[in-house]
Amino acid sequence: MVGNLDTHQQWALEAMAAAQTSYWRWAAPERSFLCGTVTERSDSDLLRLDWWTLLKTMPSAERRRLIMIWRRINDGQQDRVDVLIQPDATKPSIWWRIRGAITLRDGRASPLAATGTWEVLDDPRDQRTHGSVRAHAFAASRDSMLVVDDRWRILETNDAFTELGGLPPSAILGRALQQYIDADVLRSDPATVARNDRIQHYEGLFHVEGAAPVPVELTLSHFTLDETGETHYIAALRDISARKRSERELEHLARIDTLTQLPNRATLQQTLNGRLLRLLPGHGLAVLFIDLDGFKHINDSLGHQSGDILLKIIVKRLRATVRSKDLVARWGGDEFVVVIEVGNDTELADRIAQRLLEALSHPMVIGGHQISVTASIGIVHAPQNGRDGETLLKHADVAMYAAKNRGKNAIVVYHEQLKHHSLEQMSMLAHLREAIAKDALDFVVQPKFDGNNRMIGAELLARWMTEDHGEVPPAVFVPLTENNGMASALGNLAIDRAAQYAARLAATGNPLPVSVNISALHVMDDKLANTLRSACQRHHITADQIELEVTESVFLEDTRLPEARIKHLRSQGFRVAMDDFGAGYSSLGYLKRLPFDTIKIDRSFMHGLEADRRSRDLLAGIVELCNLLGMETVAEGVETEEQWQLLQTLGVKQYQGFYLGRPMPVEQLLERLKGEL
């Protein structure tokens, strides 16, 4: 073995000897190669193989192939070589496998040195068999494959490619791949594309005569022919029609509301901004923000499936009412947006909005129930009220809420004062949230009396005084709490204050019940019963010293659950009164299903009571029915002595109103009780 070699070199030489592999070296300007084995000990024993002598003994085809390889190496087109050659035409069974690489080039890229290995093969059929297997795999592949040269000319195709194109090989071979495939990658040369170390997938369209283009994915790899040393490229194509179809479906789902098949919020904003950019001078565009009134009640009462059916019916009516060029989109929930190009007709949006109100309010039958819904519509005009979609939608939303505040089933056109009102509402909401958190609200009490003008109880009433907005009436701030998730927080505050006042009354020898108003949302709060019990324990009072007043709106939330909640509260010893009976949707059916402790007759019955015989008869009938059911009746809004005396003749036993006692601080109430003793 060769001496003076380190361990790794020793191992390398031993491996070459075991594999019976020899080595060769060449250096310019020599015309011969030095060939030897790892057993050689000096260069003098090496075999010197003359280049021209070798070429003379080779078959002509082998000679041309080897010269082609050398030219490519000499021109700098390739550095590495891996070739199988037949060195002697008289010995066809002997083949050489030569591998190696250029190791040094000069400044002009001319080769200066090269080295590699070579081995003698007695039978090259193994290599031919390997090539045959690769060729068979190419032909049998289910993916379309073809071989192209360095100018994208098609040299060979497999059956899958001809089936995809519907053309015979004779019509394809020799033609440029660009004639069949439109892809950006084909604008570069194959060598540049193939040099990318990472496999890249390129998309394009395969054009089939008489049919729609087929989307395909193309990958490219390269190989060098042993015979000529030329580099060719294999282009593999895959039909990605199914994937593209799925991508389109996903894109559709991302842009369309799945229930109504209307454009969703994101698509609406994109389309609206596009139409604003294309708006002609002197022409206008209107945005209608539509919110259904009472949809939540229908959804909760009849179920979400019925609610979905209702929304689909509403969509049909919207589309049938507006023009085909108008955009109808779903904003979310029961809110919709209509975009109308009004041109120079400034009243067109108002007319369409009025037609929409009429169309939406027509009765419909869902699940055997006849249902009617109304809508609140806010209108904003561009470019007068905004030049971008975000501003217009925000202003239209403000106008819609103004329509709801007007009693619903209404149309409001946006103006700047609405914006200021909305900002004021936001400011008020922030201050209200802080006031509730810091227990900064005031509470007064309004007494209740019997027929002898004797105080028998009191109702707790919240008051809110602010620096920025002055005194805000309950009719303003109570709905703010209910619409912004603060109903329970306000109710809990009122319960604690009512328990505190009830304890003060009892401490003076007047254990009178104190009533507290509970919203429908608070009734549905799972923690309400615990809150009431804790307040009673904290202030050392009994449950019957607290009376809860609820309105009939509690029954609009669900058909049975509120009843179960109220029954549970009554079973805990708390008294429950129906407030404002007769003011809205109150039904005698409520009295039959759920016997309250007290029925508070709304103040609306007091108007014209003295002159209206039918009102007196109706009121007398309600009082008699309540007496039969064991419920007490309280008349609200008693403002004159005549009303008080008339109510007594009709059988009412309890009274509340300015005539008998206005709301007052609890200290004043205690002083009044002292005067009655």
Side-chain angles (χ1 to χ4, degrees):
M1 299 298 290
V2 179
N4 300 322
L5 297 174
D6 61 23
T7 303
H8 292 289
Q9 290 175 314
Q10 184 71 24
W11 289 348
L13 293 174
E14 290 177 357
M16 291 180 64
Q20 296 184 345
T21 301
S22 302
Y23 62 89
W24 59 267
R25 292 184 299 175
W26 170 84
E30 292 291 332
R31 293 182 176 271
S32 60
F33 297 86
L34 290 177
C35 303
T37 68
V38 294
T39 59
E40 301 293 343
R41 295 183 178 273
S42 66
D43 288 347
S44 62
D45 296 327
L46 295 176
L47 172 66
R48 185 173 294 276
L49 185 63
D50 182 76
W51 169 251
W52 295 116
T53 302
L54 176 63
L55 290 179
K56 290 178 183 179
T57 61
M58 297 176 66
S60 57
E62 294 294 300
R63 186 184 307 117
R64 288 194 300 270
R65 187 161 63 89
L66 202 57
I67 291 174
M68 179 70 71
I69 293 174
W70 175 250
R71 286 176 178 173
R72 291 178 61 85
I73 291 174
N74 204 44
D75 292 341
Q77 296 181 26
Q78 75 180 73
D79 282 329
R80 306 191 66 83
V81 63
D82 184 350
V83 63
L84 189 68
I85 65 171
Q86 186 182 2
D88 192 341
T90 62
K91 299 177 180 179
S93 63
I94 302 299
W95 291 75
W96 289 357
R97 178 70 178 270
I98 301 175
R99 296 186 180 94
I102 300 298
T103 58
L104 182 65
R105 290 182 182 272
D106 63 16
R108 294 177 296 177
S110 298
L112 296 178
T115 189
T117 64
W118 66 285
E119 57 184 319
V120 177
L121 300 178
D122 293 331
D123 192 342
R125 285 179 297 177
D126 290 342
Q127 296 293 329
R128 294 172 182 173
T129 301
H130 182 62
S132 176
V133 170
R134 286 188 295 181
H136 181 74
F138 173 85
S141 174
R142 296 177 62 183
D143 288 337
S144 300
M145 301 181 72
L146 44 91
V147 177
V148 297
D149 64 11
D150 56 4
R151 290 190 293 173
W152 295 111
R153 288 180 303 185
I154 301 172
L155 304 177
E156 187 63 68
T157 68
N158 66 355
D159 293 341
F161 182 85
T162 57
E163 290 175 5
L164 181 64
L167 296 172
S170 58
I172 298 173
L173 299 181
R175 302 207 174 180
L177 185 58
Q178 293 91 328
Q179 289 185 239
Y180 304 98
I181 299 176
D182 181 17
D184 291 339
V185 67
L186 300 185
R187 295 183 175 90
S188 303
D189 63 275
T192 302
V193 178
R195 274 198 295 267
N196 194 327
D197 292 336
R198 300 178 59 186
I199 296 178
Q200 297 288 330
H201 300 271
Y202 307 94
E203 292 188 3
L205 291 175
F206 188 91
H207 294 280
V208 181
E209 188 175 353
V214 178
V216 293
E217 183 180 76
L218 182 148
T219 57
L220 194 71
S221 59
H222 66 286
F223 67 97
T224 302
L225 293 175
D226 291 337
E227 294 81 2
T228 65
E230 293 180 287
T231 300
H232 289 166
Y233 305 88
I234 297 179
L237 307 177
R238 177 166 295 179
D239 185 342
I240 56 173
S241 300
R243 191 181 81 191
K244 287 296 183 181
R245 188 162 50 250
S246 297
E247 289 175 356
R248 289 193 298 270
E249 291 172 356
L250 289 173
E251 183 180 359
H252 177 79
L253 290 174
R255 295 176 58 82
I256 299 297
D257 175 66
T258 54
L259 174 65
T260 63
Q261 293 300 299
L262 292 177
N264 59 18
R265 182 182 299 196
T267 306
L268 163 68
Q269 292 171 320
Q270 181 181 359
T271 306
L272 176 57
N273 283 320
R275 293 194 179 188
L276 288 169
L277 290 174
R278 297 192 299 270
L279 200 60
L280 297 175
H283 284 225
L285 181 148
V287 177
L288 279 60
F289 204 109
I290 304 168
D291 183 271
L292 302 182
D293 303 324
F295 174 76
K296 184 179 186 303
H297 169 54
I298 295 172
N299 213 31
D300 292 344
S301 300
L302 301 182
H304 292 283
Q305 185 175 2
S306 295
D308 290 347
I309 295 173
L310 184 148
L311 290 176
K312 291 179 180 179
I313 295 174
I314 292 297
V315 169
K316 289 182 179 180
R317 293 181 178 183
L318 288 172
R319 282 177 161 164
T321 305
V322 303
R323 304 166 302 177
S324 59
K325 66 179 181 179
D326 297 328
L327 173 67
V328 180
R330 187 182 184 190
W331 184 254
D334 60 342
E335 295 177 326
F336 299 89
V337 173
V338 176
V339 179
I340 302 171
E341 295 182 10
V342 300
N344 54 12
D345 186 351
T346 57
E347 298 180 357
L348 177 60
D350 298 56
R351 296 196 300 271
I352 291 178
Q354 191 60 50
R355 291 201 298 267
L356 285 172
L357 283 189
E358 296 171 1
L360 297 179
S361 64
H362 290 164
M364 63 191 83
V365 177
I366 299 176
H369 301 275
Q370 181 168 305
I371 298 171
S372 294
V373 295
T374 58
S376 300
I377 302 179
I379 302 177
V380 65
H381 288 274
Q384 300 94 311
N385 304 128
R387 296 179 177 273
D388 62 274
E390 182 179 357
T391 300
L392 290 171
L393 289 166
K394 180 173 64 177
H395 290 171
D397 184 53
V398 169
M400 182 274 292
Y401 274 106
K404 282 198 176 295
N405 291 335
R406 290 189 182 181
K408 304 178 181 180
N409 194 29
I411 301 169
V412 170
V413 180
Y414 176 81
H415 52 84
E416 282 298 316
Q417 288 73 18
L418 289 179
K419 178 181 178 181
H420 297 316
H421 176 72
S422 177
L423 293 174
E424 184 180 10
Q425 291 283 93
M426 292 175 60
S427 173
M428 187 180 296
L429 179 61
H431 286 98
L432 178 58
R433 195 182 302 276
E434 182 180 10
I436 293 175
K438 294 182 177 181
D439 192 4
L441 293 177
D442 296 320
F443 290 93
V444 297
V445 286
Q446 184 175 21
K448 301 177 187 177
F449 300 88
D450 62 11
N452 297 319
N453 201 17
R454 184 174 57 195
M455 194 182 304
I456 58 172
E459 178 183 359
L460 185 79
L461 301 171
R463 295 291 184 264
W464 185 31
M465 179 64 71
T466 68
E467 293 183 4
D468 296 336
H469 309 288
E471 184 175 358
V472 182
V476 173
F477 72 78
V478 171
L480 275 178
T481 65
E482 294 178 346
N483 295 331
N484 294 278
M486 296 185 290
S488 293
L490 176 60
N492 292 340
L493 199 62
I495 287 171
D496 185 76
R497 193 63 57 87
Q500 178 186 341
Y501 288 176
R504 294 183 64 180
L505 287 168
T508 62
N510 299 285
L512 304 178
V514 177
S515 301
V516 59
N517 292 279
I518 300 296
S519 73
L521 294 172
H522 202 181
V523 170
M524 303 306 294
D525 189 336
D526 294 335
K527 300 178 182 179
L528 176 59
N530 289 334
T531 300
L532 286 163
R533 286 194 297 270
S534 297
C536 291
Q537 293 170 3
R538 188 163 50 252
H539 296 286
H540 308 290
I541 62 171
T542 57
D544 60 353
Q545 290 177 260
I546 295 290
E547 184 176 51
L548 308 176
E549 294 189 7
V550 300
T551 65
E552 81 284 347
S553 63
V554 71
F555 299 106
L556 299 180
E557 295 299 320
D558 198 280
T559 53
R560 294 299 175 194
L561 186 56
E563 297 177 13
R565 293 291 177 90
I566 291 176
K567 286 180 178 178
H568 176 67
L569 293 173
R570 294 184 73 240
S571 71
Q572 301 290 307
F574 298 101
R575 296 170 56 85
V576 181
M578 173 177 274
D579 196 14
D580 301 333
F581 184 83
Y585 303 98
S586 299
S587 167
L588 296 178
Y590 296 148
L591 308 183
K592 177 183 177 182
R593 295 204 314 259
L594 181 61
F596 292 87
D597 297 290
T598 304
I599 299 298
K600 298 189 71 175
I601 300 170
D602 187 68
R603 64 184 66 248
S604 61
F605 276 93
M606 301 300 109
H607 300 310
L609 184 64
E610 301 92 329
D612 190 344
R613 177 61 181 268
R614 293 189 63 184
S615 295
R616 293 198 300 272
D617 291 343
L618 176 60
L619 185 55
I622 293 173
V623 172
E624 183 177 358
L625 176 61
C626 290
N627 289 336
L628 289 173
L629 294 174
M631 303 181 199
E632 298 175 352
T633 53
V634 178
E636 297 181 293
V638 181
E639 298 182 355
T640 66
E641 183 179 1
E642 291 77 16
Q643 290 175 345
W644 181 42
Q645 292 176 351
L646 180 57
L647 288 167
Q648 293 183 65
T649 65
L650 296 175
V652 179
K653 297 294 192 298
Q654 299 180 21
Y655 316 91
Q656 188 177 7
F658 285 1
Y659 171 69
L660 299 168
R662 291 176 176 270
M664 61 188 72
V666 67
E667 290 79 9
Q668 186 177 339
L669 183 74
L670 292 172
E671 288 295 325
R672 181 164 179 170
L673 281 170
K674 288 181 182 179
E676 292 182 356
L677 296 178

